[in-house]
Amino acid sequence: MSGSAPDAVLSGLVSPEAREWVRISETARAGDPSDLGLHLMRRREALRVLDPELTSARRLGPGAAAWGLGVAAGAGLTAGAWSGGAPPVRLGGLVLGVLLAGAAVVLGLRVRAAGRRVVEAFCWWSALPRLVAHAEGRVTDWGESDARAAVEARAWYLHPRRYLAAGLAAAGGLAPLVLLRLTTDPEGRWADAWPADQDAALLVAFVGLAVPSWYAAAALFRSTSRAGSAQAQRDPVTRRLLGRD
């Protein structure tokens, strides 16, 4: 494959090899549909590269950093909302919280944009046989037996990478609820950890943890869901259920 110009969105967040497959899919989507068949021979290699890229450490690391910045921003804002705190501490917390929130948003949006393009490329390469068949007005030929397609479509969900994404999404979704449970349960171990007169600060702390955590969880869930839906298109059971035979 020939090299391509550096992409500011993908640079550093997507491997060079995967970047090339992303670029090819985006160029093909913008081109003539009658030329889609030219890419079929490279489909398996593209998916081999893009599949592990869906949960690459190149984006999980910066994504975790963006989440950490968001949580730190929430902590700063909580200090600013703490009733009875020293004015310099409250002001410093507010300023620091706003600055960290801005950094979290910038980094998080960049990671999300890169991840979205990888997922779109994976979906495009996965569904390429159907796109070619649609453009040429013929029945889709997935190039494999129905039995193999059914097994591989289900085995895709059993890979440890999918459990990693699901675990991180679950942790992100539950973290704010755990915080709320620990600080509000009158009979819990942490019953006295949060003063009863700091309801406003608790609300800020909850929102400060919920926003980055739920945003990250939603991004992970949506990426895995979209990729899985594209992967399942070759599954004969799914095709029959959707009436695509």
Side-chain angles (χ1 to χ4, degrees), residues 42 56 88 121 128 138 148 166 196 204:
R42 298 187 287 179
S56 170
L128 184 57
R138 59 176 175 82
R148 177 176 177 177
V204 173

Side-chain angles (χ1 to χ4, degrees), residues 134-232:
H134 178 74
E136 297 178 357
R138 59 176 175 82
V139 176
T140 305
D141 178 14
W142 294 95
E144 57 190 356
S145 68
D146 282 353
R148 177 176 177 177
V151 171
E152 290 189 354
R154 285 157 179 76
W156 186 86
Y157 283 101
L158 299 178
H159 195 282
R161 286 192 291 267
R162 254 56 76 186
Y163 288 104
L164 172 63
L168 291 174
L174 292 175
L177 303 180
V178 171
L179 170 67
L180 201 60
R181 173 70 175 180
L182 291 176
T183 55
T184 59
D185 183 6
E187 300 179 357
R189 181 183 300 178
W190 296 75
D192 300 325
W194 204 278
D197 60 345
Q198 297 292 345
D199 289 346
L202 177 58
L203 177 61
V204 173
F206 174 79
V207 173
L209 180 59
V211 170
S213 297
W214 288 347
Y215 183 88
L220 284 168
F221 176 79
R222 187 169 186 270
S223 296
T224 302
S225 177
R226 287 189 61 195
S229 296
Q231 181 73 197

Side-chain angles (χ1 to χ4, degrees), residues 13-225:
L13 297 175
V14 179
S15 68
E17 189 177 11
R19 245 180 282 166
E20 183 69 6
W21 292 116
V22 171
R23 183 192 64 82
I24 291 173
S25 70
E26 292 174 346
T27 301
R29 289 202 300 270
D32 189 342
S34 63
D35 295 333
L36 293 179
L38 301 175
H39 301 288
L40 279 175
M41 295 297 293
R42 298 187 287 179
R43 173 176 175 268
R44 187 170 294 275
E45 175 64 14
L47 292 176
R48 183 190 68 79
V49 174
L50 291 172
D51 191 354
E53 196 69 30
L54 293 172
T55 51
S56 170
R58 289 174 178 264
R59 285 186 312 287
L60 288 181
W67 174 83
L69 287 171
V71 173
L77 295 175
T78 300
W82 196 268
S83 177
V89 174
R90 299 185 66 180
L91 179 60
L94 288 173
V95 173
L96 182 62
V98 170
L99 292 176
L100 291 175
V105 168
V106 171
L107 180 57
L109 289 179
R110 185 173 175 229
V111 172
R112 179 178 178 271
R116 182 174 63 245
R117 289 175 64 180
V118 171
V119 172
E120 288 176 351
F122 178 85
C123 293
W124 184 86
W125 284 104
S126 296
L128 184 57
R130 182 177 300 284
L131 299 176
V132 172
H134 178 74
E136 297 178 357
R138 59 176 175 82
V139 176
T140 305
D141 178 14
W142 294 95
E144 57 190 356
S145 68
D146 282 353
R148 177 176 177 177
V151 171
E152 290 189 354
R154 285 157 179 76
W156 186 86
Y157 283 101
L158 299 178
H159 195 282
R161 286 192 291 267
R162 254 56 76 186
Y163 288 104
L164 172 63
L168 291 174
L174 292 175
L177 303 180
V178 171
L179 170 67
L180 201 60
R181 173 70 175 180
L182 291 176
T183 55
T184 59
D185 183 6
E187 300 179 357
R189 181 183 300 178
W190 296 75
D192 300 325
W194 204 278
D197 60 345
Q198 297 292 345
D199 289 346
L202 177 58
L203 177 61
V204 173
F206 174 79
V207 173
L209 180 59
V211 170
S213 297
W214 288 347
Y215 183 88
L220 284 168
F221 176 79
R222 187 169 186 270
S223 296
T224 302
S225 177

